[in-house]
Structure formats: structure tokens, C-alpha cells
Amino acid sequence: IALTPDARLVMNPSDSAASAAQLRGALLVVIGALGWSIGGVLSRLITTDPMTTAFWRALTAALCVFAWLVATRRGAVWRDFREAGWAGVLAAACWATASTAFVVALKFTTVATIAVIQSLGPFVAALLAYALMGEKLRVRTWTAIAVAMAGIVVMMARAPQGIDLAGTLIAFGMSAVFASAVVIMRYHREIRMTSAACLGAAMAAVATAPFADIGNTPMGDMPYLAAFRVLQLGAGLIFFPIGAPPVPAA
């Protein structure tokens, strides 16, 4: 923004383009988050064990995102994978860990607990971006962090035990690695992170396959697994990585 000689404020074209990119990115992030938000409900309709659920979810999500890449990137798909480099592999590992931890945690604790802990992810990302990238945190961001932490304190007041405690700890780990993926996307904006998300889903499928009871998946679970895989994880892995890089983590 600049001040003209006649005291009018005008928008610099580069500032306007950046604002448009951030607005578009924020919209895509919201769409991706909405896709992820139905995971808790769908998980309660599925009877398969956590690793089998995680395997089918990751495998189909990888195929879904890859199909999206082929349709949108065409001849540049494999080049995008190569150019992702170690940053893309690290982001993929974060995606794989977070997505698998989400499914496992849902089997051990309540959806409400995971939802509250999951909400910390963006704030952890903001703190990491502040510490590692020098991104400034606004007063409203600090306020939101304080409110989220207050919610965690209230939730933890009941002192989870046994498998509930295990699920809670897994959820905290999920939130931390998710935040790490967001910061990697922000730091390496030159990389097409949808390719990394696709790789992450494939990594999760490979990692969970040895522990999954693939041949005994109940047919009644298939419609819910399909929704879990395509709508919940697939949509999130397509839209969130596209939208996140131009949006400040703070």
C-alpha cells in the first residue's frame, strides 16, 4: 500500500496479488479442514481395527490424490515428486504419521478429546513459525492460543487413565507432527506439497499394511470406509496442501 501525492491510498499490485493468494489459500484450507472434520463421526461407524482402517484410508487417499495430480499436472506429475526433495519426504512422513495417529487415537479415546487436542495444531504451527521463521504473532493469535490451552487444562482435569491416556498422548503427537508439516509447507513454498501429501498417504499405507487384516474387512464397513478415505482424507490432502503455503501459520 502506498500514499499518492494527492493523499490517496493505493494498493501495490504485488500486495493485491499476495492478498488474493492468501484469501484463496485460506478458502482451500477451510475446505480441507471441513473434510477432515467428519473423521470422528465416520470412525464410530466403522468396526474394523485401527490398523486395517488406517491402511484402507491411506491407500485409497493415495490413489485419490494421485488421480487428482494426473488430471491437473499431467506430464509434470513425476517431476513434481522429484523436485519435492527431502523437504517433501519429511512433510510426507509428517502426513503419514499424523493420519495414522488420528485413526489409532480415535479407537482409544473420545472424539471430543481428539477434537480439542487437534485444535492445537494450528497454534503449535504458529509458535513453530514464530520461533523458526520469524513470523509475527498477532494479539488475537496469542489470545486464541491461551483459550485453546485453557480448554486443554479443563479437559485434562479428569486425568485420563489406561487406554484413554494412551489415546490422548497419541492425539498430542498427531497435533505436533501436523504442525510440523504446516511449517514445512510454509518454509518450502516452492514445492508442490500435494505431491508430498500423496507420498505421505502411500507411506502410511505401506507402514500399516503388515498390521492390517485386509482380507477380513466387513462388507458393511465398505461404504463408511469409502467416505472416510475419499471425502475425509482425500479431500483434506488435496485442498489443505494447496492452500496452506501462502497462508501465514500465525
Side-chain angles (χ1 to χ4, degrees):
I1 300 175
L3 187 65
T4 64
D6 57 350
R8 287 185 295 107
L9 290 175
V10 296
M11 181 73 75
N12 187 299
S14 61
D15 292 337
S16 179
S19 297
Q22 287 188 9
L23 180 60
R24 174 178 174 271
L27 179 60
L28 291 173
V29 166
V30 169
I31 294 173
L34 287 175
W36 282 330
S37 69
I38 64 175
V41 176
L42 289 174
S43 71
R44 293 298 184 246
L45 301 174
I46 297 171
T47 61
T48 55
D49 63 274
M51 285 301 173
T52 302
T53 301
F55 167 77
W56 284 117
R57 179 175 181 256
L59 177 63
T60 310
L63 295 174
C64 178
V65 178
F66 185 73
W68 168 275
L69 290 172
V70 170
T72 57
R73 296 293 295 162
R74 300 184 181 181
V77 172
W78 299 115
R79 185 187 66 197
D80 290 343
F81 278 109
R82 290 193 302 269
E83 292 180 350
W86 286 108
V89 173
L90 184 58
C94 290
W95 286 117
T97 304
S99 63
T100 304
F102 175 77
V103 176
V104 175
L106 280 170
K107 296 296 182 180
F108 293 138
T109 190
T110 65
V111 173
T113 297
I114 294 177
V116 172
I117 297 174
Q118 192 175 25
S119 69
L120 284 177
F123 303 127
V124 175
L127 291 173
L128 287 174
Y130 172 75
L132 301 177
M133 299 171 60
E135 288 193 2
K136 295 182 179 180
L137 297 182
R138 300 176 181 178
V139 174
R140 65 186 182 189
T141 304
W142 286 113
T143 302
I145 291 173
V147 171
M149 291 305 300
I152 293 293
V153 171
V154 171
M155 182 194 70
M156 297 298 291
R158 63 181 179 85
Q161 299 177 351
I163 60 171
D164 187 27
L165 176 60
T168 300
L169 293 176
I170 292 171
F172 273 115
M174 171 199 69
S175 185
V177 292
F178 171 82
S180 300
V182 172
V183 174
I184 292 170
M185 287 189 294
R186 281 287 297 160
Y187 191 77
H188 294 278
R189 279 177 275 187
E190 74 281 1
I191 297 173
R192 291 186 177 275
M193 282 298 172
T194 308
S195 300
C198 180
L199 178 60
M203 291 169 64
V206 171
T208 55
F211 310 100
D213 190 8
I214 301 171
N216 293 318
T217 305
M219 291 302 297
D221 281 357
M222 287 302 182
Y224 303 122
L225 283 169
F228 206 7
R229 295 175 304 215
V230 178
L231 298 178
Q232 198 263 341
L233 185 60
L237 289 182
I238 288 172
F239 294 112
F240 191 92
I242 296 174
V247 179

